[in-house]
């Protein structure tokens, strides 16, 4: 079974992503653009949230009106670059709960090493939106989803900014049940596990650490 990939080709997202890719884009602009794109992605990703009818009163009449139902969604950010996507998604899901997974790639083996994991309670009743800008080798995404599955979360969606074909393949080999949402699928990975053409190191560009 191969998993679902939702390619989000909205022109505003594509335009903003192009600005982010450019090497001369400042840290300030990079951060602002990631937040804007994440908000727009948040809108796409939440299209199928369940709703239920509630009885309300308008100034003129009572009515049954739809509201999002169920327990609060959890946005899980993979540290550190996933932090850059949180605020944008929170703009459309302001009362979402937030989880953090700390993981870094061992630069030699490219294997993810977990150093932090904190999620809300009652995960079995919650939908998870897992955010990390770069789906490169897919190793840390695979590990992050496996950890979230241990909490018996009701469902998981993976949202990124850029994906490599290799990463998508690896991800769906392990988690065919988890859909990927991305605005772009680039050509390939280089020998260091960076996406080509990509945008460089998302964490460094976001936090200005290089
Ligand atoms: N992580 C990044 O920040 N950039 C890449 O191209 C791959 C992984």
């Amino acid at each position: 079974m191969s998993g679902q990939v939702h390619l989000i080709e909205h022109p505003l997202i594509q335009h903003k992503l192009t600005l982010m890719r450019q090497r001369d884009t400042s840290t300030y602009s990079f951060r602002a653009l990631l937040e804007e794109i994440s908000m727009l992605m948040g809108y796409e990703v939440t299209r199928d949230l369940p709703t239920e009818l509630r009885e309300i009163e308008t100034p003129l009449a009572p009515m049954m009106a739809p509201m999002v139902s169920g327990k609060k969604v959890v946005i899980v950010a993979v540290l550190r670059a996933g932090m850059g996507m949180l605020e944008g998604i929170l703009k459309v899901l302001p009362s979402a709960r937030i989880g953090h997974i700390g993981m870094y790639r061992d630069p030699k083996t490219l294997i993810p090493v977990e150093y932090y994991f904190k999620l809300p309670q009652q995960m079995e009743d919650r939908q998870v939106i897992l955010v990390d800008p770069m789906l490169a080798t897919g190793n840390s995404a695979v590990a992050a989803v496996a950890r979230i599955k241990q909490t018996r979360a009701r469902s998981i969606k993976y949202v990124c900014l850029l994906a490599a074909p290799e990463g998508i393949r690896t991800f769906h080999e392990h988690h065919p049940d988890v859909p990927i949402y991305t605005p772009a699928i680039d050509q390939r990975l280089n020998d260091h596990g960076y996406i080509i053409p990509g945008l460089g190191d998302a964490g460094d560009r976001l936090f200005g650490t290089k």
Side-chain angles (χ1 to χ4, degrees):
M1 173 181 160
S2 70
Q4 280 185 329
V5 180
H6 298 267
L7 196 57
I8 311 294
E9 293 177 303
H10 193 292
L12 292 179
I13 296 182
Q14 295 299 323
H15 178 92
K16 292 173 194 294
L17 176 57
T18 300
L19 295 175
M20 290 187 76
R21 287 181 187 273
Q22 292 171 33
R23 66 181 322 150
D24 293 336
T25 296
S26 68
T27 301
Y28 170 78
S29 301
F30 190 91
R31 202 179 285 151
L33 288 160
L34 183 57
E35 182 175 333
E36 290 166 22
I37 291 179
S38 303
M39 183 189 70
L40 296 166
M41 295 286 288
Y43 178 78
E44 292 290 338
V45 172
T46 49
R47 266 181 191 284
D48 60 355
L49 277 184
T51 57
E52 65 188 10
L53 293 179
R54 299 258 182 92
E55 197 174 342
I56 62 160
E57 302 224 359
T58 78
L60 298 178
M63 74 173 285
M64 297 298 285
M67 305 261 304
V68 171
S69 62
K71 278 230 162 285
K72 299 279 185 281
V73 172
V74 186
I75 307 167
V76 179
V78 179
L79 302 175
R80 64 185 168 146
M83 295 292 293
M85 299 181 73
L86 265 184
E87 288 303 320
I89 300 197
L90 281 170
K91 289 241 157 71
V92 291
L93 272 179
S95 48
R97 302 306 190 235
I98 297 171
H100 295 93
I101 301 183
M103 246 170 215
Y104 67 88
R105 287 202 300 181
D106 183 297
K108 288 216 177 73
T109 62
L110 304 185
I111 289 176
V113 183
E114 182 185 308
Y115 62 89
Y116 189 75
F117 185 80
K118 188 83 181 174
L119 263 52
Q121 306 283 315
Q122 290 177 276
M123 289 297 291
E124 55 285 352
D125 297 326
R126 298 186 191 276
Q127 306 195 39
V128 171
I129 299 175
L130 175 63
V131 295
D132 196 3
M134 309 300 271
L135 180 58
T137 61
N139 293 338
S140 43
V142 166
V145 171
R147 279 299 266 125
I148 294 169
K149 281 184 174 175
Q150 287 175 1
T151 69
R152 306 195 171 280
R154 201 168 105 203
S155 68
I156 307 173
K157 291 172 175 169
Y158 183 83
V159 184
C160 61
L161 178 67
L162 267 186
E166 297 91 327
I168 294 175
R169 214 174 304 124
T170 300
F171 185 87
H172 275 152
E173 269 165 25
H174 291 82
H175 302 296
D177 53 322
V178 177
I180 296 170
Y181 292 76
T182 183
I185 302 171
D186 273 12
Q187 288 163 17
R188 63 184 174 86
L189 293 180
N190 71 10
D191 293 343
H192 304 284
Y194 279 87
I195 298 176
I196 304 296
L199 49 71
D201 189 298
D204 280 339
R205 295 199 63 190
L206 184 61
F207 297 110
T209 42
K210 210 167 217 170

